[in-house]
Amino acid sequence: MKTFRPLFTAPDPNWYRARNTVGREGTIPANYVQKREGVKSGGKLSLMPWFHGKITREQAERLLYPPETGLFLVRESTNYPGDYTLCVSCDGKVEHYRIIYHNGKLTIDEEEYFENLMQLVEHYTKDADGLCTRLIKPKVMEGTVAAQDEFSRSGWALNRKDLKLLQTIGKGEFGDVMVGDYRGTKVAVKCIKNDATAQAFIAEASVMTQLRHNNLVQLLGVIVEERGSLYIVTEYMAKGSLVDYLRSRGRTVLGGDCLLKFSLDVCEAMEYLEANNFVHRDLAARNVLVSEDNIAKVSDFGLTKEASSIQDTAKLPVKWTSPEALREKVQCFSTKSDVWSYGILLWEIYSFGRVPYPRIPLKEVVPRVEKGYKMDAPDGCPPAVYDLMKQCWTLDSASRPSFRMLREKLQHIRAKELYL
């Protein structure tokens, strides 16, 4: 029964029509099916809800009152900056255990060593191993929600036993991207093994649970392991990133109709984000993937935030980021900044993956752009498409077109070309 997927309700509401992985259809009880919903918890999702950051010894003791043997939390050490303290309630009082870094690992007794805090807490949850008591119940920091619990509640938690990791297809500073098999389906898996990094990617995964569009890479589920590993499982995109696809095929393989189709695919995804008040913030051809049947899908939601969010702009890709976003130390990003980036992405598509602002030193890009400089049209680019690029690069953000307007204009261009 685990291999069945619901299609629609049968006449009896207690049953669903379903299809399994080999295409056979039948009916299954409705209680076999868990309805998925977006992760919209009121609290902040945390892989370490028991971690309270910079609080004092006295504050920790107040949080662990009234005494309950096995109740615990972890805080940053006040006496030894850079280290941590495990605070445990036991027999009516609170014990404080210093967690020290030694050769890049964490330890309490210099006998057992751990890669991260999650591994350490897991170990002492199973065995006191020299502590006054086994860790039994976490004292959750106010305003946080355990990520694993929230993904399970909303139907997005997958079983690690059902996932087979097959081969590495990409390596980055945050972890590996691998091809995997989940219950007979080929999938892509981001494997993040550092607890601090995994915490950052929880935000990406929670955003992906709220988004569903044919031109966005679809999240299939999340696996949170007690030992600190996070797996984000998505649909597999066989032809890789759009920028690599464009560079490897070139104009001898890809015609104008294909370039226009890719442009429309991305625009429709961005129109959907725009309508749902989300801003991508890192739109570029490197963050668009191509499926086996040549559908372009926007990916990498690591920077995606609701449009009202104010974010630090210290590490932004200069050549793709709007001038107003680069100008401000802290900036309220809007769809209009994504529109600027989309204009750069259009230029990438029609130049078959060239790096924007060729022959201009990076330090000169921003000053020239702020004075009104716009890149020339790529060779062979239709004038109507280049005109859209220039509209996206309007310095006054309010005067830039919406993604809806861009999509309508691209559809008009495509219809005209098909007619001709």
Side-chain angles (χ1 to χ4, degrees), residues 46-256:
S46 177
L47 289 170
M48 303 183 294
W50 33 258
F51 181 65
H52 289 246
K54 290 183 178 179
I55 62 171
T56 65
R57 181 187 184 99
E58 291 73 23
Q59 287 173 315
E61 291 179 353
R62 283 197 296 270
L63 287 168
L64 295 175
Y65 185 87
E68 181 181 343
T69 295
L71 185 67
F72 72 95
L73 62 82
V74 177
R75 60 182 173 87
E76 293 183 32
S77 174
T78 49
N79 294 330
Y80 303 95
D83 290 346
Y84 301 99
T85 303
L86 172 63
C87 309
V88 189
S89 181
C90 183
D91 296 334
K93 62 180 182 178
V94 176
E95 300 289 349
H96 300 262
Y97 297 93
R98 180 184 170 192
I99 303 170
I100 62 172
Y101 266 111
H102 184 77
N103 294 331
K105 295 193 175 184
L106 298 170
T107 183
I108 290 176
D109 57 11
E110 298 190 42
E111 292 182 7
E112 294 283 349
Y113 290 87
F114 307 94
E115 298 289 339
N116 53 51
L117 287 173
M118 293 177 70
Q119 287 185 14
L120 182 145
V121 166
E122 183 207 13
H123 175 79
Y124 290 107
T125 299
K126 294 177 179 176
D127 187 341
D129 195 19
L131 302 186
C132 60
T133 177
R134 180 174 66 84
L135 305 183
I136 299 172
K137 181 181 177 182
K139 176 62 180 180
V140 175
M141 184 177 177
E142 186 175 354
T144 63
V145 177
Q148 176 64 30
D149 294 344
E150 181 60 20
F151 282 116
S152 297
R153 183 201 64 76
S154 56
W156 291 95
L158 303 182
N159 192 329
R160 178 66 179 87
K161 294 178 182 177
D162 293 329
L163 176 66
K164 296 177 183 176
L165 298 175
L166 303 176
Q167 66 182 89
T168 301
I169 55 174
K171 283 184 174 289
E173 58 178 310
F174 302 123
D176 297 341
V177 178
M178 302 188 72
V179 176
D181 180 289
Y182 187 77
R183 295 183 179 177
T185 299
K186 200 171 189 179
V187 296
V189 188
K190 279 187 181 177
C191 308
I192 300 106
K193 297 191 175 180
N194 175 284
D195 55 352
T197 304
Q199 177 61 52
F201 275 87
I202 282 291
E204 172 181 354
S206 63
V207 165
M208 292 179 76
T209 67
Q210 301 173 46
L211 305 173
R212 186 175 292 272
H213 188 278
N214 191 50
N215 296 113
L216 295 176
V217 174
Q218 181 60 49
L219 176 72
L220 301 179
V222 175
I223 299 168
V224 180
E225 287 194 330
E226 290 180 336
R227 294 182 63 79
S229 295
L230 172 69
Y231 301 91
I232 299 177
V233 184
T234 65
E235 63 178 312
Y236 176 68
M237 302 293 283
K239 295 185 177 178
S241 76
L242 177 58
V243 70
D244 290 339
Y245 186 81
L246 292 165
R247 289 171 180 172
S248 62
R249 272 72 173 180
R251 65 183 71 247
T252 57
V253 175
L254 303 176

Side-chain angles (χ1 to χ4, degrees), residues 324 334 336 339-340 388 390-402 405-406 409:
E324 73 274 9
S334 70
K336 298 300 186 181
V339 168
W340 178 284
L388 289 187
K390 290 190 290 184
Q391 290 179 44
C392 293
W393 301 332
T394 303
L395 288 175
D396 177 14
S397 61
S399 300
R400 293 172 202 154
S402 66
M405 291 170 60
L406 289 167
K409 290 179 179 180

Side-chain angles (χ1 to χ4, degrees), residues 34-46:
Q34 180 176 7
K35 183 180 178 181
R36 283 184 161 185
E37 56 186 80
V39 173
K40 295 180 181 178
S41 170
K44 178 185 175 184
L45 292 185
S46 177

